[in-house]
Amino acid sequence: MDFVPVNEPLLDGNEKKYLCECIDTGWISSEGPFVKEFERRMSQTVQRRYGISVTNGTAALELAVRALEIGEGDEVIMPAFTIISCASAVTRVGAVPALVDSDINTWNMKIDEIERRITSKTKAIMVVHIYGLPVEMEPVIQLAKKYDLKIIEDAAQMHGQTYNGKPCGSFGDISVFSFYPNKHVTTGEGGMVVTDNEELAERCRSLRNLCFRNDIRYVHDELSGNYRFTNLQAAVGLAQLERLDEFVKRKRKMGKYYTEALKGVDGLKLPMEKTEYADNIYWVYGIVLEPYISVTNREMCKKLAEAGIGSRTFFWCMHEQPVYAKKGYFQGENYVNAERLARKGFYIPSGLALTEKQMERVVIQIKRIMNELCHSAKADRV
Ligand SMILES: *Cc1c(COP(=O)(O)O)cnc(C)c1O
């Protein structure tokens, strides 16, 4: 039987039509008309004044950090449990991530532990909405006000998600999105910075394009890279964005299906269906193995692969990254919940092209594997 991939995007809307338009008109570079249109629609969707498209979500984070003039010796608070892009955007400019443990239920950073990480060097809080539920923003906004800190919001996984009815991506001084194929609006590769601040928007535009000076071309006061987004990417993005509501419904339906089917399976902790401020959007359907299950997420993913099911382990914590240990960061730091998620969490096929038949197969295999694992867990305890 065919392998069930962990992610397959859905590209059967206007993607082909708009791409043909690019080719027919010859507009394929970053100068094409779809780029501005995509920036306009995307920023409108998340209620922001400015959208600056870039090559990918990682670049968007780097631009956000640089636009806010975070640099040598500054500190940025962020979750220990996240993707490396968050930490690397900060360490690349010589600033230091101050890590916060995760809430074991929402998997997002523990809000009540942020304040004790604030020092005289803290410049910003990087909020990352992880896997499906948004971070509780209100207390974060209050803290940022109280201590005069910036908020960088990583909404890479949150297209169409809201916090108390307001779109994710509307909360940061700068917020960022990714359009990688596993995000539910994709452009192949791609990202965007959104903001309401005109000066920050202008800085991001400059950083995106080699910091060309506006008055005299080829004269530079500052260095950057080329992070430009192409008309071809924007063509796909526009077609995707047209279907955002449908995609969000589809994600939620998939999440409900898995939860119904896997409820009551011993050894699994399923994702929270909702909080006071949001319904889970199930960017991916994540599962955490209970502590009494002796296998790790890596072993679990291997078993699933042998059964023809694609899956991925959760993120690996920032304070356990070999690259940062080598550089002397995070010495002796521990974050128990984040570490548990990194060792016991995994996600199962959740792409938009996933069929109900495929989901049935995923469920059958998980139940079979968990049945075996629970029997051996019981045998161990006897
Ligand atoms: C995907 C992702 C990124 C990075 O985006 P790329 O486009 O892959 O560079 C950053 N943050 C989070 C939370 C992500 O999920």
Side-chain angles (χ1 to χ4, degrees):
M1 238 193 281
D2 288 344
F3 195 82
V4 183
V6 71
N7 175 67
E8 197 182 330
L10 205 54
L11 301 163
D12 54 357
N14 283 324
E15 288 82 356
K16 206 183 262 179
K17 183 174 159 226
Y18 296 163
L19 277 171
C20 286
E21 238 176 277
C22 297
I23 291 163
D24 291 342
T25 59
W27 282 112
I28 56 171
S29 77
S30 56
E31 295 292 319
F34 282 135
V35 176
K36 284 214 164 54
E37 183 60 13
F38 181 55
E39 288 175 338
R40 194 182 65 76
R41 292 240 201 122
M42 182 69 201
S43 48
Q44 201 173 46
T45 302
V46 296
Q47 297 173 12
R48 302 312 295 256
R49 288 176 67 191
Y50 307 102
I52 299 96
S53 55
V54 291
T55 43
N56 53 61
T58 304
L61 283 166
E62 289 173 15
L63 261 57
V65 167
R66 283 194 62 188
L68 290 169
E69 301 190 55
I70 291 165
E72 201 70 38
D74 293 338
E75 293 178 3
V76 177
I77 296 171
M78 68 173 69
F81 179 74
T82 185
I83 190 167
I84 194 79
S85 313
C86 299
S88 65
V90 166
T91 56
R92 276 176 76 130
V93 298
V96 181
L99 304 180
V100 172
D101 201 6
S102 312
D103 180 286
I104 202 65
N105 297 311
T106 65
W107 308 337
N108 283 319
M109 115 172 113
K110 273 188 182 171
I111 297 309
D112 49 7
E113 289 192 3
I114 294 176
E115 193 163 14
R116 78 178 72 139
R117 296 297 271 148
I118 297 174
T119 71
S120 58
K121 295 178 184 165
T122 309
K123 285 284 166 346
I125 304 171
M126 189 182 281
V127 165
V128 190
H129 309 294
I130 291 171
Y131 295 161
L133 287 168
V135 170
E136 190 180 358
M137 289 308 304
E138 200 44 50
V140 179
I141 293 165
Q142 291 311 323
L143 277 179
K145 272 205 190 112
K146 183 171 164 194
Y147 293 94
D148 192 24
L149 306 175
K150 301 293 182 196
I151 296 177
I152 301 171
E153 182 189 14
D154 182 345
Q157 309 176 345
M158 292 295 120
H159 307 266
Q161 176 61 297
T162 58
Y163 163 81
N164 278 339
K166 206 168 169 286
C168 289
S170 68
F171 295 101
D173 290 276
I174 298 189
S175 303
V176 308
F177 286 93
S178 161
F179 306 115
Y180 188 70
N182 65 0
K183 318 291 158 136
H184 44 286
V185 169
T186 183
T187 63
E189 296 285 351
M192 196 177 290
V193 170
V194 294
T195 181
D196 292 328
N197 182 311
E198 190 173 354
E199 219 170 293
L200 288 177
E202 196 45 52
R203 246 187 93 63
C204 286
R205 277 188 215 108
S206 175
L207 288 165
R208 167 174 68 180
N209 191 19
L210 300 164
C211 289
F212 273 115
R213 253 168 65 169
N214 283 333
D215 51 349
I216 335 171
R217 208 169 169 83
Y218 304 116
V219 176
H220 301 263
D221 298 321
E222 208 179 337
L223 295 176
S224 189
N226 171 358
Y227 300 104
R228 299 186 301 257
F229 184 80
T230 71
N231 207 45
L232 295 166
Q233 290 168 295
V236 175
L238 263 185
Q240 290 268 298
L241 207 48
E242 289 170 355
R243 300 173 72 187
L244 180 58
D245 292 347
E246 175 198 338
F247 286 174
V248 167
K249 278 199 193 106
R250 211 176 165 100
K251 282 271 174 192
R252 290 207 163 110
K253 197 170 157 208
M254 283 169 20
K256 284 207 170 72
Y257 177 95
Y258 276 140
T259 295
E260 282 305 311
L262 294 170
K263 220 180 254 172
V265 175
D266 280 344
L268 299 182
K269 188 170 154 54
L270 303 180
M272 271 178 100
E273 294 176 62
K274 59 175 169 220
T275 60
E276 278 164 40
Y277 42 85
D279 291 337
N280 202 320
I281 203 169
Y282 303 103
W283 169 64
V284 292
Y285 195 89
I287 299 175
V288 182
L289 296 166
E290 296 286 8
Y292 64 85
I293 301 291
S294 62
V295 302
T296 63
N297 51 1
R298 269 194 267 175
E299 290 161 322
M300 185 69 194
C301 289
K302 191 158 164 273
K303 284 177 191 292
L304 282 165
E306 283 161 6
I309 310 295
S311 64
R312 288 277 184 285
T313 56
F314 274 12
F315 296 134
W316 193 246
C317 302
M318 294 307 103
H319 64 290
E320 298 191 286
Q321 295 292 344
V323 61
Y324 284 133
K326 232 174 3 193
K327 292 176 192 287
Y329 287 83
F330 316 129
Q331 295 293 321
E333 295 184 24
N334 291 101
Y335 303 95
V336 287
N337 291 345
E339 288 163 24
R340 183 154 134 213
L341 293 174
R343 283 161 179 78
K344 293 290 188 179
F346 63 102
Y347 63 85
I348 57 180
S350 326
L352 286 163
L354 196 67
T355 65
E356 198 152 317
K357 274 255 157 354
Q358 287 177 314
M359 281 193 279
E360 271 171 34
R361 277 176 53 203
V362 173
V363 167
I364 289 169
Q365 292 305 326
I366 290 180
K367 284 185 170 166
R368 179 187 59 76
I369 293 167
M370 291 315 294
N371 199 19
E372 286 168 17
L373 289 174
C374 287
H375 275 298
S376 64
K378 272 185 203 129
D380 285 347
R381 270 182 276 171
V382 169

